[in-house]
């Protein structure tokens, strides 16, 4: 199966950049079979969908409301709205959401449920911080984070995406070692086999300072089905080098 490369723009870019990005991406991906997704800020999702047209790149949202249906939730974007905007996937539980918006397992469980019910594929993000890594508590932390997925197990789609993003590796240039990634991915695969219903299969992404220079080594690791790329996804040149590495491994 092809490795999945997702670019997460976070709170970066503007309408002009989205326009230029898609134009460049179209040229870069010409005749290149690959599995790619791009997560731009909410505001630019419909534009991204329209510009991509038939270019086989998935539109990914960076977050979703925890509230079901529609209603008096000023400022919120529902899962159905994201579907309407052309999204196929949504990041849920990114460490920046956990850190800056106090999103806990209860909230994330609701978000997962809303996404699944609207037919959006959640990409559930987990990862320990530096202190938890140094204290050797990371398996417990990851296990606790997985509880939100377990709580919604009956609603999950057949393929369940989980992204391991150690907080200490995000935006720091400090990528986790091959041993650390392989160890955590093996742990997650085992735990997910126990948590998920038999009809579901888990696929695992790694995220945290992925660049074209380290993408090959990471993508080649056992249990790594793709990468979630932050800052290196902001330019098509760098993202397409990562996509090339992923494609060479399919
Ligand atoms: P960086 O690639 O900038 O470290 O960000 C990773 C990330 O958070 C992707 O979601």
């Amino acid at each position: 199966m092809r490795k999945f490369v997702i670019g997460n723009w976070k709170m970066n870019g503007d309408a002009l950049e989205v326009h230029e990005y898609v134009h460049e991406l179209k040229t870069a991906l010409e005749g290149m079979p690959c599995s790619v997704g791009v997560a731009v800020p909410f505001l630019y999702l419909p534009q991204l969908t329209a510009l991509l047209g038939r270019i086989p790149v998935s539109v990914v949202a960076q977050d979703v409301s925890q509230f079901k249906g529609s209603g008096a939730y000023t400022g919120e974007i529902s899962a159905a709205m994201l579907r309407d905007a052309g999204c196929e996937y949504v990041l849920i539980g990114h460490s920046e959401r956990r850190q800056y918006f106090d999103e806990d397992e209860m909230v994330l469980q609701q978000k997962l449920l809303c996404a699944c019910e609207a037919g959006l594929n959640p990409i559930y993000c987990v990862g320990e911080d530096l202190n938890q890594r140094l204290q050797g508590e990371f398996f417990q932390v990851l296990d606790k984070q997985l509880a939100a997925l377990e709580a919604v197990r009956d609603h999950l789609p057949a393929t369940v995406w989980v992204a391991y993003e150690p907080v200490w590796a995000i935006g720091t240039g400090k990528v986790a070692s091959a041993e650390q990634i392989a160890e955590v991915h093996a742990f997650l695969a085992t735990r997910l086999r126990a948590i998920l219903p038999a009809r579901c299969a888990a696929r695992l992404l790694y995220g945290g300072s992925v660049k074209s220079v380290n993408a090959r080594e990471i993508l080649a690791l056992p249990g790594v089905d793709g990468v979630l790329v932050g800052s290196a996804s902001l330019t098509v040149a760098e993202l397409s080098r990562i996509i090339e590495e992923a494609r060479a491994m399919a």
Side-chain angles (χ1 to χ4, degrees), residues 15-249:
L16 181 62
E17 281 179 53
V18 173
H19 195 276
E20 289 171 353
Y21 194 87
V22 174
H23 185 71
E24 285 176 42
L25 200 57
K26 187 178 174 185
T27 313
L29 299 184
E30 202 96 75
M32 177 153 117
C34 53
S35 186
V36 179
V38 179
V40 295
F42 282 142
L43 199 59
Y44 306 122
L45 289 169
Q47 183 195 359
L48 178 65
T49 301
L51 287 168
L52 283 171
R54 290 151 70 97
I55 306 171
V57 169
S58 299
V59 177
V60 183
Q62 297 178 14
D63 186 30
V64 63
S65 175
Q66 75 206 73
F67 298 107
K68 268 191 190 192
S70 51
Y73 303 109
T74 302
E76 287 293 270
I77 307 282
S78 74
M81 290 170 187
L82 294 177
R83 285 284 290 163
D84 203 26
C87 294
E88 249 181 276
Y89 296 89
V90 57
L91 304 181
I92 293 181
H94 192 282
S95 65
E96 287 147 19
R97 302 291 316 171
R98 294 178 190 262
Q99 185 181 346
Y100 301 126
F101 303 94
D102 288 332
E103 293 188 1
D104 60 14
E105 270 56 53
M106 273 313 287
V107 168
L108 297 175
Q109 186 181 317
Q110 290 166 359
K111 292 190 175 203
L112 284 166
L113 201 55
C114 288
C116 294
E117 286 182 349
L120 270 175
N121 295 291
I123 299 168
Y124 186 59
C125 306
V126 296
E128 77 286 356
D129 64 25
L130 184 59
N131 193 38
Q132 292 159 340
R133 164 63 57 178
L134 295 174
Q135 298 297 318
E137 291 167 359
F138 49 99
F139 287 148
Q140 290 99 301
V141 170
L142 295 165
D143 222 13
K144 186 166 169 276
Q145 293 171 339
L146 289 179
L149 264 189
E150 186 169 14
V152 302
R153 64 195 294 279
D154 293 336
H155 303 268
L156 293 167
T159 304
V160 178
W161 289 93
V162 173
Y164 171 53
E165 297 205 300
V167 180
W168 48 271
I170 295 178
T172 56
K174 217 186 279 170
V175 68
S177 70
E179 293 72 27
Q180 288 169 326
I181 298 172
E183 181 186 38
V184 170
H185 278 233
F187 169 79
L188 290 173
T190 305
R191 287 299 297 132
L192 287 164
R193 262 195 302 278
I195 285 171
L196 300 179
R199 63 178 181 84
C200 295
R203 299 203 74 206
L204 303 176
L205 305 175
Y206 169 79
S209 296
V210 176
K211 314 263 180 265
S212 60
V213 290
N214 57 28
R216 182 181 307 182
E217 190 193 4
I218 295 168
L219 283 161
L221 290 171
V224 174
D225 299 305
V227 284
L228 185 49
V229 186
S231 58
S233 73
L234 293 173
T235 60
V236 170
E238 179 66 358
L239 183 70
S240 48
R241 281 193 283 269
I242 298 171
I243 297 168
E244 285 271 8
E245 299 291 356
R247 200 175 63 105
M249 258 166 244

